[in-house]
Amino acid sequence: MEIKSVGVIGAGQMGNGIAHVFGLADYQVKLYDIAPEAVTVALGTIDTNLARQIARGVITEADRTRALANVSPVGRLADIGDSDLVIEAATERETIKTAIFEDLLPHLRRHTILTSNTSSISITRLASRTDRPERFMGFHFMNPVPVMQLVELIRGIATDSETYEILRSVVGTIGKTATTAEDFPGFIVNRILMPMVNEAVYTLYEGVGSVESIDTSLRLGTNHPMGPLELADFIGLDTCLAIMNVLHDGLADTKYRPCPLLTKYVEAGWLGRKTRRGFYDYRGEEPVPTR
């Protein structure tokens, strides 16, 4: 089976990046979001990010024009159904994802492969809510998608070998590298990354260091390009909390207990860059630590 058309569900930070890379790789992409205005914003973001790639000499103006022509907004979830490959990139909540798949199933072609960009939720469990668990996989991109080179491929217990091989090949066509992770909470990247972020929040919570000192220590002491609290703001504190809860619930180990301060920030609606406040305040010219 050859993948020619791709449907992307969710036009947020991850969805628009996924549409960007597939459009640039000459796939025919349909982009859907439950909020139509989000698709309009996403198309603008894709255009802006393509312009940045031109400025860096990564692509040409002709590449940009072609990529934009390959990405089409659609107004109904059903319009995604005739795609060869569907990538769900909605909010990291299992109830939302399963509801999307259930609504989409009547409109799918028999051969369509379903995938989820989930960063932590069980692929086996998501697949079991569909009519094609053998053609269902985790397809986890890293943020920001146009820049980051990794895609985690996660097979559910029922995923067949053909589906895996097709998706591994697709990853190569978009210029990225695939790694294979088993279907356990957090997979590989977030199983390692999120406890580090959570521990940084505990370090702040317990008064061991300030936001600035924690991030400076990790940037300069371990050569990380971004401090863990700055990274948490970039990812979204609600996403970080959701992943920690999946790890804690799924692995039943207290070392994955979300820090109460992380929970408090999410309760306050301080979710990081997307709400302009998190561990840093982004409302001024320069980010200012909030603690």
Side-chain angles (χ1 to χ4, degrees):
M1 176 185 167
E2 184 180 1
I3 303 294
K4 295 181 179 179
S5 58
V6 178
V8 180
I9 302 171
Q13 194 172 40
M14 297 303 295
N16 76 62
I18 293 168
H20 173 140
V21 297
F22 275 96
L24 198 55
D26 283 329
Y27 289 89
Q28 295 302 305
V29 181
K30 291 182 179 180
L31 181 59
Y32 168 79
D33 195 285
I34 194 170
E37 62 274 13
V39 177
T40 302
V41 172
L43 293 174
T45 300
I46 293 170
D47 192 15
T48 299
N49 289 337
L50 288 166
R52 287 175 178 159
Q53 289 181 306
I54 292 172
R56 297 199 308 270
V58 176
I59 64 171
T60 66
E61 185 63 50
D63 293 329
R64 176 191 187 184
T65 300
R66 192 181 69 254
L68 289 171
N70 287 336
V71 180
S72 304
V74 295
R76 301 181 309 147
L77 182 63
D79 296 332
I80 294 286
D82 63 353
S83 304
D84 298 323
L85 168 64
V86 172
I87 305 170
E88 172 274 313
T91 303
E92 190 70 356
R93 287 175 56 189
E94 188 169 346
T95 53
I96 291 175
K97 293 178 185 296
T98 53
I100 288 170
F101 289 128
E102 287 170 2
D103 289 345
L104 181 62
L105 289 180
H107 309 288
L108 293 177
R109 292 195 209 174
R110 185 181 59 81
H111 71 268
T112 298
I113 293 175
L114 282 179
T115 68
S116 176
N117 184 56
T118 180
S119 53
S120 60
I121 298 169
S122 168
I123 298 304
T124 297
R125 198 162 59 239
L126 288 175
S128 72
R129 303 294 295 273
T130 76
D131 63 352
R132 59 196 68 208
E134 71 286 352
R135 292 194 298 281
F136 191 106
M137 272 189 66
F139 209 34
H140 182 213
F141 289 79
M142 306 297 121
N143 185 33
V145 178
V147 176
M148 302 296 281
Q149 292 302 301
L150 180 69
V151 180
E152 280 185 313
L153 298 180
I154 306 100
R155 298 171 71 159
I157 196 169
T159 306
D160 63 26
S161 296
E162 182 185 12
T163 298
Y164 171 78
E165 293 299 338
I166 288 170
L167 290 185
R168 189 172 69 167
S169 175
V170 166
V171 172
T173 66
I174 59 175
K176 300 195 181 295
T177 299
T179 58
T180 304
E182 294 300 320
D183 187 21
F184 288 94
F187 315 133
I188 294 173
V189 173
N190 283 315
R191 173 76 175 263
I192 297 168
L193 175 64
M194 281 302 151
M196 183 195 75
V197 169
N198 194 53
E199 193 62 28
V201 183
Y202 265 115
T203 304
L204 178 66
Y205 178 60
E206 294 170 2
V208 178
S210 65
V211 168
E212 185 175 10
S213 62
I214 292 167
D215 277 352
T216 300
S217 295
L218 269 292
R219 281 199 306 269
L220 302 184
T222 60
N223 207 28
H224 288 193
M226 191 181 293
L229 300 176
E230 182 186 4
L231 177 61
D233 276 357
F234 182 75
I235 295 168
L237 303 191
D238 52 340
T239 300
C240 293
L241 179 60
I243 295 170
M244 287 308 302
N245 279 325
V246 167
L247 289 171
H248 189 231
D249 294 345
L251 299 171
D253 192 323
T254 56
K255 72 180 180 181
Y256 299 112
R257 183 171 69 95
C259 179
L261 183 61
L262 178 60
T263 302
K264 193 62 66 179
Y265 268 70
V266 173
E267 288 175 345
W270 291 20
L271 308 181
R273 286 182 178 269
K274 60 187 173 185
T275 58
R276 304 186 69 193
R277 276 195 291 188
F279 292 114
Y280 292 85
D281 189 327
Y282 301 92
R283 293 174 297 174
E285 292 185 8
E286 296 289 336
V288 177
T290 54
R291 290 179 78 89

